[in-house]
Amino acid sequence: MISSLVAALVLSLSGQGGASWVWSYYDGDGAVVLAREIPDTPNLSAVLECTPGSGVVHLTMYEPDARPDFVNVTVGEVSADVERVAGDGLSVRLGLDHPILHAFGQGHALTVSAGSQSASVAAPHPRLMSAFRSACR
C-alpha cells in the first residue's frame, strides 16, 4: 500500500522542477533510494540512498567534477563541511538526523560545493522525503 501511495506521489510530482527532472522513490534490493532523474534515461543529478534501519544516508551528486577530500553541503540556512566518500559521483554520508537532511525535507534546495565548483538540486516534496526517512529508520 505504501508503495502505491509513493508511486502516486511520484506521478503527481512529475511536472515539478525544470525540463523533465523528477524525484523518484525506489524501495527494493535491500536499499531505499530517492533519485533526481529524468525517467527512462540514464540522467541523474542526485541520489540519496540508505539501507533500511541503518540511519545513514549516502548522498551522491553527479556534478561538480572536482573530488576534494571535503565538500560543503548547504541547505537553506544549514551548512556543513563533510568528508567525501568513494562513489560514482561526488558522495558523502550523513546521519539521518543531520540538520542538512532535516532542512532538505522541509523543502530547501541542496547545494554541494567542491572547491570552486558547485551544483544544486531542488528539494523533493516533503511527503516524499518523509517516506524516505521513515524507510531508512
Side-chain angles (χ1 to χ4, degrees):
M1 176 161 167
I2 290 177
S3 298
S4 299
L5 292 173
V6 171
L9 181 59
V10 168
L11 290 174
S12 72
L13 297 175
S14 63
Q16 96 180 29
S20 48
W21 289 95
V22 298
W23 280 102
S24 300
Y25 179 89
Y26 302 98
D27 185 0
D29 296 329
V32 177
V33 176
L34 232 137
R36 179 89 169 143
E37 64 182 349
I38 297 177
D40 301 322
T41 73
N43 299 329
L44 289 170
S45 63
V47 172
L48 284 83
E49 181 177 4
C50 75
T51 301
S54 70
V56 177
V57 176
H58 188 111
L59 165 67
T60 301
M61 297 284 287
Y62 292 94
E63 290 183 28
D65 295 332
R67 299 294 184 260
D69 290 339
F70 285 85
V71 298
N72 181 269
V73 182
T74 302
V75 180
E77 304 269 328
V78 181
S79 182
D81 290 327
V82 183
E83 186 173 13
R84 183 180 57 83
V85 298
D88 61 348
L90 184 60
S91 299
V92 299
R93 282 196 183 98
L94 299 166
L96 190 58
D97 60 349
H98 197 287
I100 290 285
L101 293 176
H102 178 73
F104 197 45
Q106 297 299 310
H108 299 282
L110 181 142
T111 300
V112 173
S113 300
S116 62
Q117 300 176 1
S118 65
S120 298
V121 292
H125 190 280
R127 285 180 281 172
L128 193 57
M129 187 67 177
S130 178
F132 176 79
R133 292 174 64 89
S134 292
C136 293
R137 283 195 179 99

